Amino acid sequence: MNDRADIVHEAFRARLARGDLPAASGGRKAEGGDRHLLAEIFRSQVTSRHLDRHARTLQARGEAFYTIGSSGHEGTAAVAAAFRPSDPAFLHYRDGAFLVQRAQQVPGQTPVWDMLLSFAASAEDPISGGRHKVLGSKALNVPPQTSTIASHLPKAVGAAFSIPLANTLKPEHRAYARDAVALASFGDASVNHSTAQGAFNTAGWTAYRGTPLPLVLVCEDNGIGISTKTPGGWIEASISGRPGLHYLTCNGLDIADTLAAAREAEAIARRRKRPVFLHMTCVRLYGHAGSDMQTAYMTQKEVEAAEANDPLLHSAGLLIETAGLSKEDCLSIYDEVDAQVAAVAEEAIQRPKLGGAAEVMASLIPPRRGAAPSNGPSKAEREAAFGIDARNLDTPQHMARLVNWALTDLMLEHREIVLAGEDIGPKGGVYNVTAKLHERFGPARVINTLLDEQTILGLSIGLAHNGLLPIPEIQFLAYLHNAEDQLRGEAATLSFFSNGQFTNPMVIRIAGLGYQRGFGGHFHNDNSVAVIRDIPGVVLACPSNGRDAVLMLRESLRLAREEQRVVVFLEPIARYMTRDLMAEKDGLWTFVYPPPGDPAIGLGEVGVHGEGRDLGIVTYGNGVFLSRQAQHDLAAKGVAARVVDLRWLAPLPEAALLEATADCDAVLIVDECRRTGSQSEALMTLFAEARPELRVARETAEDSFIPLGRAATATLPSRESIAEAAVALLGRSGKRRKLS
Ligand SMILES: Cc1ncc(C[n+]2csc(CCOP(=O)(O)OP(=O)(O)O)c2C)c(N)n1
Ligand SMILES: [Mg+2]
């Protein structure tokens, strides 16, 4: 008998039978009226324990996958008991007991059955539909979390932030009660992660400024992260003095103490709207996960010391001492639940698994939701909001102003839209795109965030959970990388792992790409979007001009609002202020603002400029601008080209693109992003597969970062290089060449 789970199991029964129970911890005492609740908590703890044990057996039989247990952390059941099931809870992976206990608060729940289905990766698993072993439940307001530690903390801050905000903005799809509290739990080692630190900092910063934030952060301190020990006293030393965070501590082995501390935390968060850090000490039993051999990094004595502190023994001792239960009562609860879990497990493993790729992928794209029809902003509202700008609505403008106006109209039309980003407030953003919005809509809807991209996206995810419609801004494309996990690991996976039950629709505006004159270097002129393009389910939009930007932003907002999509809206910085295309003062890159109600540019619709059939130039962003110039130059050489503006980079508008180039003799792909990993690779493949006979070439940026100064565009496609590549593709004469 080597498995530590068996050892702990036998020890529990034997010690209970002998009455060899740990002494009372000396922590806070339960109130008289809590006896029944403590017994219920004990049952939840026992249930979670047996779920762990049977999951291990199932895994050994090849019937369960990825077991990471809650054993030792069962004190979380007492935390759950202090909150309402309507309080959103973003849970640590060791919170089985929390989930079981919360299920007691809602009629009709079957947590054992549900969790076993998840362990068995059954398609009937009610939370992930068989996609992962996650703790979660729609009915219990527990969104599933990915296994990336700490990545759920920024959105928990956002969810807490959304609660008072939603009281003001009253979004149509609001999910949380007026006085809800957001909860998030995590391990002690996770506290060190920069994502966690960022979330604590944001929570503290927010409270320090006096902004309400009903949030409880629960640190489950078992003293170790996989094999790396947390220095004794570290959590308290590093957290307890942080400004804005109310620090509380409790003994997670003592459910009376934990319940009392959790209630205190709940009261501070709910009544005073202050963030609380609840530090719960506990133990970890059976090692980190299924196959972990603890003795590689812990002494036998340490392992046994943790086991001797089995929380179930502590709870049994407490119940016997204070709640009138006998040893026999505790033992019979333990054995009865064991038998129940064993029986349910045998049934759960029989349930169907996910079939083919289509079933797996069914929740990558969230379901559509009903959204109240809107008549658009009223005339009076518009006049008030646009103010002096209204005079210019009929004169052509550059992209920065057109995007600003589109945002204005969208914010007038949809009260639930909230902007969030660095310097987007009174300054109006680095490029003035959000100018006057702060003044027009106030600081609640135009949030000047602190300087942390993870916070910006996490905040937005949390807002979206509560029905608000965030439009976060990342100041420069290169800085998305500081937070890409919030997009890739969090926002994009939520629908997938929750079988479409939880969503976080948003439109992330990012200023990016190259060609800025006299400014930048590689961070302000980053030219790769590979990291966005390959995320399943995410829409990537990239307008090339102001008119398209308006019409695509409206479509992006619709995709988020009605289809719950996560959209990245990439704005080419270099075109923000561009007015002219061919010659000075020609004004060809300015456009009259298309009023609300004009048909939007739908997802998958491409733009076509010109009718030339010799060559189709397929491009996007700045490439459209340069290709239009090259188109002009090529015409002078007798080459009739058309420029096809992709507009949408992910998913690629394949059908529309093939149609737009169907009668072209050749195709030149102009891609301003770095050759490796650029959209040109996908486009070359598309044409090779769809039209193998077609002559196709590409003109891309070099695999280089962008330098400063005069050489700023040296590695990028240019008007001249595009024309040259076109001529080379078509043959020296530049004349149309018949296909053989
Ligand atoms: C960002 C990230 N890095 C690494 C891992 C791998 N990993 C999973 S759990 C874990 C340790 C977490 O320890 P702690 O926060 O103390 O939680 P515990 O498992 O002890 O409850 C690590 C390193 C991960 N999941 N996510
Ligand atoms: Mg730990």
Side-chain angles (χ1 to χ4, degrees):
M1 191 176 65
N2 281 325
D3 187 48
R4 299 311 303 183
D6 292 333
I7 293 170
V8 172
H9 170 65
E10 294 304 341
F12 176 81
R13 300 190 79 260
R15 284 185 63 182
L16 187 57
R18 288 202 302 273
D20 172 17
L21 299 171
S25 80
R28 299 171 185 80
K29 298 282 174 247
E31 292 162 23
D34 282 336
R35 282 186 186 176
H36 178 73
L37 179 60
L38 290 176
E40 186 182 276
I41 290 171
F42 175 63
R43 183 176 277 272
S44 296
Q45 293 186 293
V46 168
T47 305
S48 172
R49 174 64 56 87
H50 287 309
L51 281 166
D52 270 11
R53 289 184 51 243
H54 289 286
R56 288 169 80 85
T57 316
L58 293 179
Q59 187 170 31
R61 287 165 53 190
E63 297 287 4
F65 317 89
Y66 189 81
T67 48
I68 189 157
S70 302
S71 298
H73 287 237
E74 289 92 347
T76 58
V79 177
F83 291 85
R84 300 177 189 162
S86 51
D87 291 331
F90 302 84
L91 297 183
H92 187 40
Y93 47 70
R94 296 200 194 280
D95 285 6
F98 182 108
L99 201 66
V100 174
Q101 175 60 30
R102 180 167 270 203
Q104 308 313 309
Q105 302 172 331
V106 177
Q109 296 299 302
T110 52
V112 171
W113 175 241
D114 298 352
M115 285 164 78
L116 283 163
L117 287 173
S118 184
F119 296 175
S122 166
E124 293 175 2
D125 156 25
I127 186 60
S128 82
R131 293 179 180 83
H132 208 322
K133 182 229 158 196
V134 283
L135 296 178
S137 161
K138 182 69 180 165
L140 301 178
N141 281 298
V142 178
Q145 303 310 324
T146 65
S147 63
T148 311
I149 54 97
S151 63
H152 58 309
L153 298 189
K155 68 181 170 188
V157 175
F161 191 88
S162 79
I163 293 164
L165 187 57
N167 290 338
T168 317
L169 300 183
K170 300 187 175 55
E172 180 187 359
H173 299 101
R174 180 177 182 168
Y176 306 153
R178 289 188 68 78
D179 59 347
V181 169
L183 251 157
S185 52
F186 46 89
D188 50 298
S190 305
V191 165
N192 303 302
H193 201 279
S194 60
T195 311
Q197 291 288 326
F200 303 151
N201 184 63
T202 302
W205 188 89
T206 306
Y208 186 77
R209 302 166 74 217
T211 306
L213 196 71
L215 173 69
V216 175
L217 299 159
V218 183
C219 174
E220 299 169 26
D221 183 359
N222 58 21
I224 198 161
I226 303 188
S227 68
T228 306
K229 289 181 184 157
T230 296
W234 169 244
I235 300 296
E236 179 168 4
S238 71
I239 301 289
S240 63
R242 286 180 92 124
L245 279 189
H246 195 104
Y247 176 83
L248 292 175
T249 180
C250 68
N251 178 357
L253 304 178
D254 177 344
I255 50 177
D257 187 53
T258 302
L259 180 63
R263 281 176 170 162
E264 193 182 339
E266 187 257 7
I268 295 168
R270 199 177 312 278
R271 296 199 201 126
R272 288 163 51 197
K273 317 274 181 231
R274 309 283 293 171
V276 183
F277 189 103
L278 176 60
H279 178 194
M280 183 190 95
T281 51
C282 59
V283 293
R284 186 188 75 183
L285 302 177
Y286 326 155
H288 176 69
S291 58
D292 179 29
M293 280 302 295
Q294 300 176 84
T295 41
Y297 53 84
M298 281 168 84
T299 63
Q300 188 69 17
K301 235 174 128 185
E302 287 172 317
V303 172
E304 287 169 4
E307 291 174 355
N309 258 327
D310 179 351
L312 266 51
L313 287 169
H314 282 268
S315 295
L318 180 83
L319 289 172
I320 292 167
E321 200 182 302
T322 64
L325 263 71
S326 65
K327 309 191 280 199
E328 291 72 24
D329 292 335
C330 294
L331 198 57
S332 75
I333 292 173
Y334 186 83
D335 286 344
E336 187 194 302
V337 174
D338 187 7
Q340 183 212 354
V341 173
V344 176
E346 293 308 321
E347 276 186 57
I349 58 176
Q350 308 296 332
R351 303 311 303 160
K353 309 281 190 258
L354 283 170
E359 274 184 45
V360 171
M361 294 166 68
S363 60
L364 270 177
I365 293 178
R368 288 167 185 253
R369 67 180 174 192
S374 157
N375 294 325
S378 75
K379 197 162 173 268
E381 275 179 330
R382 292 192 79 213
E383 274 166 15
F386 279 89
I388 171 170
D389 279 351
R391 289 188 313 212
N392 299 321
L393 280 173
D394 294 331
T395 47
Q397 305 290 337
H398 57 51
M399 185 193 286
R401 182 153 305 139
L402 291 174
V403 172
N404 177 274
W405 289 351
L407 287 169
T408 306
D409 269 326
L410 287 169
M411 291 184 79
L412 287 174
E413 186 170 358
H414 305 291
R415 283 183 58 80
E416 68 270 33
I417 292 181
V418 173
L419 271 47
E422 293 156 13
D423 308 303
I424 66 163
K427 177 175 167 60
V430 179
Y431 294 98
N432 251 9
V433 176
T434 54
K436 299 190 196 149
L437 297 180
H438 187 263
E439 197 185 307
R440 286 169 184 155
F441 297 102
R445 295 187 66 195
V446 182
I447 303 171
N448 225 5
T449 67
L450 47 63
L451 207 175
D452 178 16
E453 285 73 19
Q454 298 215 74
T455 289
I456 296 168
L457 296 188
L459 172 72
S460 303
I461 297 172
L463 296 179
H465 271 274
N466 199 12
L468 295 159
L469 207 43
I471 308 188
E473 174 185 305
I474 299 289
Q475 206 163 62
F476 289 99
L477 177 58
Y479 306 131
L480 173 67
H481 299 289
N482 295 61
E484 70 195 38
D485 175 55
Q486 289 298 308
L487 173 59
R488 169 182 294 262
E490 292 295 326
T493 63
L494 184 63
S495 172
F496 182 71
F497 285 122
S498 70
N499 211 9
Q501 297 172 89
F502 289 95
T503 56
N504 39 211
M506 66 178 80
V507 179
I508 306 172
R509 291 184 44 249
I510 307 181
L513 300 172
Y515 297 100
Q516 288 183 83
R517 286 227 192 103
F519 173 70
H522 72 292
F523 279 95
H524 300 95
N525 290 277
D526 195 25
N527 63 332
S528 172
V529 291
V531 76
I532 306 168
R533 272 183 56 230
D534 77 345
I535 307 176
V538 167
V539 174
L540 174 56
C542 182
S544 64
N545 64 76
R547 184 169 194 282
D548 283 9
V550 171
L551 299 175
M552 289 168 69
L553 189 59
R554 290 183 189 150
E555 169 71 349
S556 298
L557 205 281
R558 190 200 64 75
L559 286 166
R561 182 167 176 265
E562 295 175 14
E563 302 191 20
Q564 310 201 75
R565 303 293 295 265
V566 174
V567 183
V568 174
F569 196 81
L570 180 67
E571 296 166 11
I573 300 172
R575 303 280 74 89
Y576 272 148
M577 310 289 171
T578 303
R579 296 187 160 276
D580 307 325
L581 174 62
M582 300 295 175
E584 235 177 276
K585 299 225 182 305
D586 69 10
L588 289 174
W589 221 248
T590 56
F591 297 86
V592 171
Y593 178 66
D598 267 20
I601 293 176
L603 174 62
E605 259 181 60
V606 300
V608 182
H609 304 273
E611 291 168 355
R613 292 177 52 198
D614 297 339
L615 180 69
I617 304 180
V618 173
T619 185
Y620 62 92
N622 295 291
V624 176
F625 180 77
L626 297 171
S627 298
R628 293 278 300 276
Q629 295 172 338
Q631 179 186 31
H632 175 84
D633 300 345
L634 285 166
K637 295 182 180 168
V639 176
R642 77 182 63 166
V643 175
V644 181
D645 183 348
L646 286 171
R647 292 172 169 160
W648 307 96
L649 302 184
L652 265 184
E654 294 183 356
L657 174 59
L658 291 172
E659 197 189 321
T661 52
D663 58 348
C664 293
D665 290 346
V667 162
L668 176 68
I669 294 155
V670 174
D671 191 339
E672 64 188 285
C673 279
R674 295 196 286 273
R675 174 169 275 251
T676 302
S678 66
Q679 3 314 304
S680 71
E681 291 178 346
L683 292 165
M684 292 296 286
T685 309
L686 172 69
F687 283 110
E689 288 173 355
R691 292 187 61 194
E693 79 293 348
L694 189 70
R695 283 175 298 158
V696 187
R698 59 180 173 152
E699 171 67 8
T700 72
E702 300 293 341
D703 282 334
S704 168
F705 299 111
I706 291 175
L708 200 62
R710 301 229 163 83
T713 56
T715 63
L716 305 175
S718 64
R719 174 178 184 162
E720 295 74 25
S721 76
I722 295 167
E724 276 165 29
V727 170
L729 173 66
L730 293 174
R732 271 205 170 163
S733 67
K735 292 273 185 260
R736 190 168 160 188
R737 201 172 69 181
K738 286 265 170 284
L739 291 176
S740 54

